[in-house]
Coordinates of all heavy atoms in Angstrom, one line a residue:
E284 N -137.7 -32.9 39.9 CA -137.7 -31.9 40.9 C -136.8 -30.8 40.3 O -135.7 -31.0 39.8 CB -137.1 -32.3 42.2 CG -137.0 -31.2 43.2 CD -136.6 -31.8 44.6 OE1 -136.7 -33.0 44.8 OE2 -136.1 -30.9 45.3
L285 N -137.3 -29.5 40.3 CA -136.5 -28.4 39.8 C -135.6 -27.9 40.9 O -136.0 -27.6 42.1 CB -137.4 -27.3 39.4 CG -138.3 -27.6 38.2 CD1 -139.2 -26.3 37.9 CD2 -137.5 -27.9 37.0
G286 N -134.3 -27.7 40.6 CA -133.3 -27.2 41.6 C -133.4 -25.7 41.7 O -132.8 -25.2 42.7
R287 N -134.0 -25.1 40.7 CA -134.1 -23.6 40.7 C -135.2 -23.2 39.9 O -135.8 -24.0 39.2 CB -132.8 -23.0 40.2 CG -132.5 -23.4 38.8 CD -131.1 -22.8 38.3 NE -130.7 -23.3 37.0 CZ -131.0 -22.7 35.9 NH1 -131.6 -21.5 35.9 NH2 -130.6 -23.2 34.7
S288 N -135.6 -21.9 40.0 CA -136.7 -21.4 39.1 C -136.3 -21.5 37.7 O -135.2 -21.2 37.3 CB -137.0 -20.0 39.5 OG -138.0 -19.4 38.7
L289 N -137.3 -22.0 36.8 CA -137.0 -22.1 35.4 C -138.2 -21.7 34.6 O -139.4 -21.8 34.9 CB -136.7 -23.6 35.0 CG -135.4 -24.2 35.5 CD1 -135.4 -25.7 35.2 CD2 -134.3 -23.5 34.8
D290 N -137.9 -21.1 33.4 CA -138.9 -20.9 32.3 C -138.8 -22.1 31.4 O -137.7 -22.4 31.0 CB -138.6 -19.6 31.5 CG -138.7 -18.3 32.3 OD1 -139.6 -18.3 33.2 OD2 -138.0 -17.4 32.1
F291 N -140.0 -22.7 31.1 CA -139.9 -23.8 30.2 C -141.2 -24.0 29.5 O -142.2 -23.4 29.8 CB -139.5 -25.1 30.9 CG -140.6 -25.7 31.8 CD1 -141.4 -26.7 31.4 CD2 -140.8 -25.2 33.1 CE1 -142.4 -27.2 32.2 CE2 -141.8 -25.7 33.9 CZ -142.6 -26.7 33.4
S292 N -141.2 -24.8 28.4 CA -142.4 -25.2 27.7 C -142.4 -26.7 27.5 O -141.4 -27.4 27.6 CB -142.4 -24.5 26.3 OG -141.3 -25.0 25.5
I293 N -143.6 -27.2 27.3 CA -143.8 -28.7 27.1 C -144.4 -28.9 25.8 O -145.4 -28.2 25.4 CB -144.7 -29.3 28.2 CG1 -144.1 -29.1 29.6 CG2 -145.0 -30.7 27.9 CD1 -145.0 -29.5 30.7
S294 N -143.9 -29.9 25.0 CA -144.5 -30.2 23.7 C -144.5 -31.8 23.6 O -143.8 -32.5 24.3 CB -143.6 -29.7 22.6 OG -143.6 -28.3 22.6
L295 N -145.5 -32.2 22.9 CA -145.6 -33.7 22.6 C -145.3 -34.0 21.1 O -145.8 -33.2 20.3 CB -147.0 -34.2 22.9 CG -147.5 -34.2 24.4 CD1 -148.9 -34.7 24.5 CD2 -146.5 -35.0 25.2
Y296 N -144.6 -35.0 20.9 CA -144.2 -35.4 19.5 C -144.6 -36.9 19.3 O -144.5 -37.7 20.2 CB -142.7 -35.3 19.3 CG -142.2 -33.9 19.5 CD1 -141.8 -33.4 20.7 CD2 -142.1 -33.1 18.4 CE1 -141.4 -32.1 20.8 CE2 -141.6 -31.8 18.5 CZ -141.3 -31.3 19.7 OH -140.8 -30.0 19.9
D297 N -145.0 -37.2 18.1 CA -145.2 -38.6 17.8 C -143.9 -39.2 17.5 O -142.8 -38.6 17.5 CB -146.2 -38.8 16.6 CG -145.7 -38.2 15.3 OD1 -144.5 -38.0 15.1 OD2 -146.5 -38.0 14.4
L298 N -143.9 -40.5 17.3 CA -142.6 -41.2 17.1 C -141.9 -40.9 15.8 O -140.7 -41.3 15.6 CB -142.8 -42.7 17.2 CG -143.2 -43.2 18.6 CD1 -143.4 -44.7 18.7 CD2 -142.3 -42.7 19.7
N299 N -142.5 -40.2 14.9 CA -141.9 -39.7 13.7 C -141.3 -38.3 13.9 O -140.7 -37.8 12.9 CB -142.9 -39.6 12.5 CG -143.4 -41.0 12.1 OD1 -142.6 -42.0 12.0 ND2 -144.7 -41.1 11.9
G300 N -141.4 -37.8 15.1 CA -140.8 -36.5 15.3 C -141.7 -35.3 15.0 O -141.3 -34.1 15.2
K301 N -143.0 -35.5 14.6 CA -143.9 -34.5 14.4 C -144.5 -33.9 15.7 O -145.0 -34.7 16.5 CB -145.0 -35.0 13.4 CG -146.0 -33.9 13.1 CD -147.2 -34.5 12.2 CE -148.2 -33.4 12.1 NZ -149.4 -34.0 11.4
E302 N -144.5 -32.6 15.8 CA -145.1 -32.0 17.0 C -146.6 -32.2 16.9 O -147.2 -31.7 15.9 CB -144.7 -30.6 17.2 CG -145.2 -30.0 18.5 CD -144.7 -28.5 18.7 OE1 -145.0 -27.7 17.7 OE2 -144.1 -28.2 19.7
V303 N -147.2 -32.8 17.9 CA -148.7 -33.0 17.9 C -149.4 -32.2 18.9 O -150.7 -32.0 18.8 CB -149.0 -34.5 18.0 CG1 -148.5 -35.3 16.8 CG2 -148.5 -35.1 19.3
A304 N -148.7 -31.6 19.9 CA -149.4 -30.7 20.9 C -148.3 -29.9 21.5 O -147.2 -30.3 21.7 CB -150.1 -31.5 21.9
E305 N -148.7 -28.6 21.8 CA -147.7 -27.7 22.4 C -148.4 -27.1 23.6 O -149.5 -26.6 23.5 CB -147.3 -26.6 21.4 CG -146.3 -25.7 22.1 CD -145.8 -24.6 21.1 OE1 -146.5 -24.4 20.0 OE2 -144.8 -24.0 21.4
G306 N -147.7 -27.1 24.7 CA -148.2 -26.5 25.9 C -147.8 -25.0 26.1 O -147.0 -24.5 25.2
N307 N -148.3 -24.4 27.1 CA -147.9 -23.0 27.3 C -146.5 -22.9 27.9 O -146.0 -23.8 28.5 CB -148.9 -22.3 28.3 CG -150.3 -22.2 27.8 OD1 -150.4 -22.1 26.6 ND2 -151.3 -22.3 28.6
R308 N -145.9 -21.8 27.7 CA -144.6 -21.5 28.4 C -145.0 -21.1 29.8 O -146.0 -20.5 30.1 CB -143.9 -20.3 27.7 CG -143.4 -20.7 26.4 CD -142.4 -19.6 25.9 NE -141.9 -20.0 24.6 CZ -140.8 -20.8 24.4 NH1 -140.2 -21.3 25.5 NH2 -140.4 -21.1 23.2
M309 N -144.2 -21.6 30.8 CA -144.4 -21.4 32.2 C -143.2 -21.0 32.9 O -142.1 -21.4 32.5 CB -145.0 -22.7 32.8 CG -146.2 -23.3 32.2 SD -146.5 -24.9 33.0 CE -146.8 -25.9 31.6
Q310 N -143.3 -20.4 34.0 CA -142.2 -20.2 34.9 C -142.6 -20.8 36.2 O -143.6 -20.5 36.8 CB -141.8 -18.7 35.1 CG -140.6 -18.5 36.0 CD -140.2 -17.1 36.2 OE1 -141.0 -16.2 35.9 NE2 -139.0 -16.9 36.6
L311 N -141.7 -21.7 36.7 CA -142.0 -22.4 38.0 C -140.8 -22.2 38.9 O -139.7 -22.2 38.5 CB -142.2 -23.9 37.7 CG -143.4 -24.3 36.9 CD1 -143.4 -25.7 36.6 CD2 -144.7 -23.9 37.6
P312 N -141.1 -22.1 40.2 CA -140.1 -22.0 41.2 C -139.4 -23.3 41.4 O -140.0 -24.4 41.0 CB -140.8 -21.5 42.4 CG -142.2 -22.0 42.3 CD -142.5 -21.9 40.8
A313 N -138.4 -23.3 42.2 CA -137.7 -24.6 42.5 C -138.7 -25.5 43.3 O -139.6 -25.0 44.0 CB -136.5 -24.3 43.4
G314 N -138.5 -26.8 43.1 CA -139.4 -27.8 43.8 C -140.0 -28.8 42.9 O -139.6 -28.9 41.7
V315 N -141.0 -29.5 43.4 CA -141.7 -30.6 42.7 C -143.0 -30.0 42.2 O -143.7 -29.3 42.9 CB -142.0 -31.8 43.6 CG1 -142.8 -32.8 42.8 CG2 -140.6 -32.3 44.1
H316 N -143.3 -30.3 40.9 CA -144.6 -29.7 40.3 C -145.3 -30.8 39.5 O -144.7 -31.8 39.1 CB -144.2 -28.6 39.4 CG -143.5 -27.5 40.0 ND1 -144.1 -26.5 40.8 CD2 -142.1 -27.2 40.1 CE1 -143.2 -25.7 41.3 NE2 -142.0 -26.1 40.9
K317 N -146.6 -30.6 39.3 CA -147.4 -31.4 38.4 C -148.1 -30.5 37.4 O -148.3 -29.4 37.7 CB -148.5 -32.2 39.2 CG -147.9 -33.2 40.2 CD -149.1 -33.9 40.9 CE -148.5 -34.9 41.9 NZ -149.6 -35.6 42.6
T318 N -148.3 -31.1 36.3 CA -149.1 -30.4 35.3 C -150.0 -31.3 34.5 O -149.8 -32.5 34.5 CB -148.1 -29.6 34.3 OG1 -148.9 -28.8 33.4 CG2 -147.3 -30.6 33.4
K319 N -151.1 -30.8 34.0 CA -152.0 -31.6 33.2 C -151.9 -31.1 31.7 O -151.6 -30.0 31.4 CB -153.4 -31.3 33.6 CG -153.7 -31.9 35.0 CD -155.1 -31.8 35.4 CE -155.4 -32.4 36.8 NZ -156.8 -32.3 37.1
F320 N -152.0 -32.1 30.8 CA -151.9 -31.9 29.4 C -153.1 -32.6 28.8 O -153.3 -33.7 28.9 CB -150.6 -32.5 28.9 CG -150.0 -31.7 27.7 CD1 -149.0 -30.8 27.9 CD2 -150.5 -32.0 26.4 CE1 -148.4 -30.2 26.8 CE2 -150.0 -31.4 25.3 CZ -148.9 -30.4 25.5
D321 N -153.9 -31.8 28.0 CA -155.1 -32.4 27.4 C -154.6 -33.2 26.1 O -154.1 -32.7 25.2 CB -156.0 -31.3 26.9 CG -157.3 -31.8 26.3 OD1 -157.6 -33.0 26.3 OD2 -158.0 -31.0 25.7
V322 N -154.8 -34.5 26.2 CA -154.5 -35.4 25.2 C -155.7 -36.1 24.6 O -155.6 -37.1 23.8 CB -153.5 -36.5 25.6 CG1 -152.1 -35.9 26.0 CG2 -154.0 -37.4 26.7
S323 N -156.9 -35.5 24.8 CA -158.1 -36.2 24.4 C -158.3 -36.2 22.9 O -159.0 -37.1 22.3 CB -159.3 -35.4 25.0 OG -159.3 -34.1 24.5
N324 N -157.5 -35.4 22.2 CA -157.6 -35.4 20.7 C -156.5 -36.3 20.0 O -156.4 -36.3 18.8 CB -157.5 -33.9 20.2 CG -156.2 -33.3 20.5 OD1 -155.6 -33.6 21.5 ND2 -155.7 -32.4 19.7
L325 N -155.7 -36.9 20.9 CA -154.6 -37.8 20.3 C -155.1 -39.2 20.3 O -155.8 -39.7 21.2 CB -153.4 -37.6 21.1 CG -152.8 -36.2 21.1 CD1 -151.6 -36.1 22.0 CD2 -152.4 -35.8 19.7
A326 N -154.6 -40.0 19.3 CA -154.9 -41.4 19.2 C -154.0 -42.2 20.3 O -153.0 -41.7 20.8 CB -154.5 -41.9 17.8
N327 N -154.5 -43.3 20.6 CA -153.7 -44.2 21.5 C -152.4 -44.5 20.8 O -152.3 -44.5 19.6 CB -154.4 -45.6 21.7 CG -155.6 -45.5 22.6 OD1 -155.9 -44.5 23.2 ND2 -156.4 -46.5 22.5
G328 N -151.3 -44.6 21.7 CA -150.0 -44.8 21.1 C -148.9 -44.3 22.0 O -149.1 -43.8 23.1
N329 N -147.7 -44.3 21.4 CA -146.5 -43.8 22.1 C -146.2 -42.4 21.6 O -146.2 -42.1 20.4 CB -145.3 -44.7 21.8 CG -145.5 -46.1 22.4 OD1 -145.8 -46.2 23.6 ND2 -145.4 -47.1 21.6
Y330 N -145.8 -41.6 22.5 CA -145.4 -40.2 22.2 C -144.2 -39.8 23.1 O -143.8 -40.5 24.0 CB -146.5 -39.2 22.6 CG -147.8 -39.4 21.7 CD1 -148.7 -40.4 22.1 CD2 -148.0 -38.7 20.6 CE1 -149.9 -40.6 21.3 CE2 -149.1 -39.0 19.8 CZ -150.0 -39.9 20.2 OH -151.1 -40.1 19.4
I331 N -143.5 -38.8 22.7 CA -142.4 -38.2 23.4 C -142.8 -36.9 24.0 O -143.3 -36.0 23.2 CB -141.2 -38.0 22.5 CG1 -140.7 -39.3 21.8 CG2 -140.0 -37.4 23.3 CD1 -140.3 -40.4 22.7
C332 N -142.7 -36.7 25.3 CA -142.9 -35.5 26.0 C -141.6 -34.7 26.1 O -140.7 -35.3 26.7 CB -143.6 -35.7 27.3 SG -143.9 -34.2 28.2
S333 N -141.5 -33.6 25.6 CA -140.3 -32.8 25.6 C -140.5 -31.5 26.4 O -141.4 -30.7 26.1 CB -139.8 -32.4 24.2 OG -138.7 -31.6 24.2
M334 N -139.6 -31.3 27.4 CA -139.7 -30.2 28.3 C -138.4 -29.4 28.0 O -137.3 -29.8 28.2 CB -139.8 -30.6 29.7 CG -141.0 -31.3 30.0 SD -141.0 -32.3 31.5 CE -140.2 -33.8 31.0
K335 N -138.6 -28.1 27.5 CA -137.4 -27.3 27.1 C -137.4 -26.1 27.9 O -138.4 -25.4 28.1 CB -137.6 -26.9 25.6 CG -137.6 -28.1 24.6 CD -137.9 -27.6 23.2 CE -138.2 -28.8 22.4 NZ -138.6 -28.4 21.0
T336 N -136.2 -25.8 28.4 CA -136.0 -24.5 29.2 C -135.5 -23.4 28.3 O -135.0 -23.7 27.2 CB -135.0 -24.7 30.3 OG1 -133.7 -24.9 29.8 CG2 -135.3 -25.9 31.2
K337 N -135.6 -22.2 28.7 CA -135.2 -21.0 28.0 C -133.7 -21.1 27.8 O -133.1 -20.6 26.8 CB -135.6 -19.8 28.8 CG -135.3 -18.5 28.0 CD -135.9 -17.3 28.7 CE -135.1 -17.0 29.9 NZ -135.5 -15.7 30.6
D338 N -133.0 -21.8 28.7 CA -131.5 -21.9 28.6 C -131.1 -23.0 27.6 O -129.9 -23.2 27.5 CB -130.9 -22.3 30.0 CG -131.3 -21.3 31.1 OD1 -131.4 -20.1 30.7 OD2 -131.4 -21.6 32.3
G339 N -132.0 -23.7 27.0 CA -131.7 -24.7 26.0 C -131.6 -26.1 26.5 O -131.3 -27.0 25.8
V340 N -131.9 -26.3 27.8 CA -131.9 -27.7 28.4 C -133.1 -28.4 27.9 O -134.2 -27.9 28.0 CB -131.8 -27.6 29.9 CG1 -131.9 -29.0 30.5 CG2 -130.5 -26.9 30.4
I341 N -133.0 -29.6 27.5 CA -134.1 -30.4 27.0 C -134.2 -31.7 27.9 O -133.2 -32.4 28.0 CB -134.0 -30.8 25.5 CG1 -134.0 -29.5 24.7 CG2 -135.2 -31.7 25.1 CD1 -133.7 -29.7 23.2
M342 N -135.4 -32.0 28.4 CA -135.7 -33.2 29.1 C -136.8 -33.9 28.4 O -137.7 -33.3 28.0 CB -136.1 -32.9 30.6 CG -135.1 -32.1 31.4 SD -135.7 -31.5 32.9 CE -136.4 -30.0 32.3
T343 N -136.7 -35.2 28.2 CA -137.7 -36.0 27.5 C -138.1 -37.2 28.3 O -137.4 -37.7 29.1 CB -137.2 -36.5 26.1 OG1 -136.1 -37.3 26.3 CG2 -136.8 -35.3 25.2
E344 N -139.4 -37.5 28.1 CA -140.0 -38.7 28.8 C -140.9 -39.4 27.7 O -141.5 -38.7 26.9 CB -140.8 -38.3 30.0 CG -140.1 -37.7 31.1 CD -139.2 -38.8 31.9 OE1 -139.6 -40.0 31.8 OE2 -138.2 -38.5 32.5
N345 N -141.0 -40.7 27.8 CA -141.9 -41.4 27.0 C -143.3 -41.3 27.6 O -143.5 -41.3 28.8 CB -141.6 -42.9 26.9 CG -140.3 -43.1 26.1 OD1 -140.1 -42.4 25.1 ND2 -139.5 -44.1 26.5
L346 N -144.3 -41.2 26.8 CA -145.7 -41.1 27.2 C -146.5 -42.1 26.4 O -146.4 -42.1 25.2 CB -146.2 -39.7 26.9 CG -147.7 -39.4 27.2 CD1 -148.0 -39.5 28.7 CD2 -148.1 -38.1 26.7
I347 N -147.3 -42.9 27.1 CA -148.1 -43.9 26.4 C -149.6 -43.5 26.7 O -149.9 -43.4 27.8 CB -147.8 -45.3 26.9 CG1 -146.4 -45.7 26.6 CG2 -148.8 -46.3 26.3 CD1 -146.0 -47.0 27.3
I348 N -150.3 -43.3 25.6 CA -151.8 -43.0 25.8 C -152.5 -44.3 25.5 O -152.4 -44.9 24.4 CB -152.2 -41.9 24.8 CG1 -151.5 -40.6 25.2 CG2 -153.7 -41.7 24.9 CD1 -151.7 -39.5 24.2
A349 N -153.3 -44.8 26.4 CA -154.1 -46.0 26.2 C -155.4 -45.8 26.9 O -155.4 -45.5 28.1 CB -153.3 -47.2 26.8
R350 N -156.4 -45.9 26.2 CA -157.8 -45.7 26.7 C -158.5 -47.0 26.7 O -158.4 -47.9 26.0 CB -158.5 -44.7 25.9 CG -157.9 -43.3 26.0 CD -158.7 -42.3 25.2 NE -158.0 -41.1 25.2 CZ -157.2 -40.7 24.2 NH1 -157.0 -41.4 23.2 NH2 -156.6 -39.5 24.3

């Protein structure tokens, strides 16, 4: 949940730290949000989802793709 309006971007990295997908920069108001990320071109496995704000704050989550 965002406590205030933020500009941020989302990127996906493999476990070696290589960026494998980059999302658009967005500005969202305070509150709870959902987003979709097209991972159809990525292999099954573990990835790191990194959400970076313009202020330099970085939030990360593990992402497992299994089809």
Side-chain angles (χ1 to χ4, degrees):
E284 180 175 340
L285 297 177
R287 61 184 172 95
S288 178
L289 288 175
D290 292 326
F291 73 97
S292 64
I293 299 176
S294 297
L295 291 180
Y296 297 88
D297 65 18
L298 295 182
N299 293 319
K301 179 183 174 189
E302 185 176 54
V303 294
E305 181 179 17
N307 294 330
R308 293 192 176 274
M309 303 174 228
Q310 181 175 21
L311 294 175
V315 176
H316 303 278
K317 292 181 182 181
T318 188
K319 291 184 180 184
F320 210 100
D321 182 11
V322 296
S323 61
N324 63 330
L325 298 177
N327 289 346
N329 295 306
Y330 295 87
I331 303 295
C332 178
S333 177
M334 297 162 276
K335 300 174 189 175
T336 69
K337 187 171 77 171
D338 301 331
V340 176
I341 300 174
M342 300 166 276
T343 59
E344 292 289 332
N345 290 324
L346 174 68
I347 299 172
I348 298 176
R350 296 182 185 93

